[in-house]
Amino acid sequence: MNPSSKNNNSDNVNSKNVNSLLCARMKERRTMLNLTLKQIAEALHITEATAQRYECGEIKNIPYEKIVMLAEILQCSPPYLLGWEYLKDLPPEVERILNYYNQLNEDGKKEAEKQLDNLTLIPKYTETDK
């Protein structure tokens, strides 16, 4: 095997890793935000089938402008989607609360925020400086 073909194989492996990470992060963020592939497709102005092909990795070369739009929809950065950076690690209980919150409709979100506001006014539920 000559050196140039070895480099090509190495490049392909890196490209595959980036693509599989993009797929995993796309699905992770989409499900965390309770979005459907249809909603993603509509926001990206593509068909639902194309969005599904993005998520499963069947389409390898997603246009940059679509990645930027997708990151905005998924409330993260393009570098995060591409595996170049990580979201701040959240404790599991915060992730769980965010997942519950994201399942609510707009009225439910407003009510949850009111309830949290009320809880912060009750001393026994708030953290105090020690």
Side-chain angles (χ1 to χ4, degrees):
M1 180 189 298
N2 67 36
S4 65
S5 64
K6 185 175 183 180
N7 285 342
N8 287 342
N9 288 341
S10 173
D11 290 345
N12 288 341
V13 169
N14 291 336
S15 175
K16 286 178 186 176
N17 289 342
V18 167
N19 193 58
S20 62
L21 192 53
L22 172 88
C23 298
R25 289 185 170 184
M26 178 180 173
K27 184 169 186 171
E28 169 193 289
R29 296 294 301 162
R30 180 179 65 78
T31 55
M32 177 183 271
L33 296 169
N34 279 336
L35 295 171
T36 64
L37 281 170
K38 183 176 182 179
Q39 290 169 313
I40 297 288
E42 288 171 356
L44 291 176
H45 310 291
I46 58 176
T47 66
E48 187 175 351
T50 299
Q52 193 275 330
R53 292 173 63 211
Y54 282 1
E55 190 172 279
C56 76
E58 195 174 316
I59 295 177
K60 307 277 186 239
N61 296 314
I62 301 172
Y64 176 74
E65 62 274 3
K66 296 295 185 193
I67 291 175
V68 170
M69 291 170 65
L70 183 59
E72 187 173 312
I73 295 160
L74 297 175
Q75 301 173 18
C76 62
S77 68
Y80 172 78
L81 280 180
L82 295 169
W84 301 338
E85 71 179 20
Y86 298 92
L87 290 179
K88 186 175 132 186
D89 289 332
L90 297 174
E93 62 275 10
V94 174
E95 284 280 342
R96 190 176 71 251
I97 291 167
L98 286 173
N99 284 330
Y100 289 142
Y101 180 82
N102 287 323
Q103 292 175 33
L104 301 172
N105 63 24
E106 288 307 308
D107 290 337
K109 288 177 181 178
K110 287 177 187 172
E111 185 60 31
E113 290 165 11
K114 279 190 227 175
Q115 294 295 330
L116 286 171
D117 284 341
N118 289 335
L119 284 172
T120 63
L121 299 174
I122 303 169
K124 74 177 188 178
Y125 294 126
T126 58
E127 291 187 27
T128 58
D129 292 325
K130 296 181 180 180

